[in-house]
Amino acid sequence: MIREEEVYKIGKLGKTHGIKGELSFLFDDDVFDRVDADYLVLMVDGILVPFFLEEYRFRSDSNAIVKFEDIDTQDRARELTGCDVYFPRKLSDSDADTVSWAEITGYEIIDAGTGKCAGRISTVDDTTINILFELEDGTLIPASEELITDVDKDNKTITINIPEGLLDL
């Protein structure tokens, strides 16, 4: 059984494409292509299930058409539309110096000033030049390299010099 801490979200399946079981795949991280993965993990009815890739092709830098093994009809593919797509952390190409934005979802933010946990990252907003960590309670924390003092992949924590008063808003 795959546990949520063993994977991280990289995208979502969209609508079906054609009649042979293909699906649109909107992704935030193309790690599946960089490491030549054999499978992706889908959240189906609350359970993480591996689906083996038969083929995929890119439509843009954030959209691909995917075909999974044994999903050969439009009706079978339609059952998967809207499913969140995850990638196994153990297959990630990140190293001690490089971690993708998608991979840090679920990390805890530690305030460097107090040593206390400010919250857990639910999403990373990288749509503007000022990247923000959005915590599960809705708090936004700037993801500036100047503020980050430590990233601990083993303990899934990021220590940040959080600007004074930010957590009081």
Side-chain angles (χ1 to χ4, degrees):
M1 182 170 184
I2 301 171
R3 297 188 325 250
E4 284 196 50
E5 57 270 10
E6 296 174 336
V7 296
Y8 64 98
K9 185 178 174 185
I10 62 169
K12 188 175 199 97
L13 293 178
K15 62 183 180 178
T16 60
H17 183 83
I19 60 170
K20 296 181 181 177
E22 294 179 318
L23 289 149
S24 175
F25 173 32
L26 303 167
F27 57 89
D28 299 320
D29 188 341
D30 65 353
V31 64
F32 64 96
D33 185 55
R34 293 193 312 267
V35 301
D36 197 27
D38 294 329
Y39 67 96
L40 296 173
V41 178
L42 305 183
M43 180 69 77
V44 180
D45 297 329
I47 300 170
L48 293 168
V49 181
F51 280 80
F52 287 87
L53 289 163
E54 189 171 303
E55 64 181 356
Y56 61 88
R57 60 188 180 281
F58 290 98
R59 295 184 74 186
S60 71
D61 61 351
S62 63
N63 190 355
I65 301 297
V66 295
K67 170 79 174 72
F68 295 109
E69 289 181 7
D70 301 323
I71 305 296
D72 297 322
T73 66
Q74 187 177 30
D75 289 338
R76 293 280 320 273
R78 192 174 288 119
E79 295 172 5
L80 301 177
T81 60
C83 286
D84 288 334
V85 180
Y86 296 83
F87 195 77
R89 290 184 188 277
K90 67 182 180 184
L91 299 180
S92 172
D93 61 350
S94 66
D95 56 28
D97 298 324
T98 308
V99 179
S100 75
W101 290 126
E103 193 171 356
I104 63 171
T105 299
Y107 277 40
E108 289 185 340
I109 296 293
I110 305 298
D111 183 358
T114 64
K116 294 182 180 177
C117 177
R120 187 178 310 274
I121 299 172
S122 64
T123 60
V124 177
D125 181 354
D126 62 351
T127 58
T128 66
I129 195 163
N130 297 315
I131 298 170
L132 300 168
F133 296 135
E134 183 175 346
L135 304 184
E136 291 173 342
D137 67 0
T139 303
L140 298 174
I141 305 286
S144 170
E145 287 186 32
E146 294 83 35
L147 298 176
I148 297 173
T149 61
D150 184 54
V151 177
D152 184 343
K153 286 182 61 177
D154 294 332
N155 293 313
K156 297 181 182 151
T157 62
I158 298 175
T159 304
I160 297 181
N161 283 315
I162 298 176
E164 188 174 328
L166 183 68
L167 297 177
D168 299 327
L169 297 175

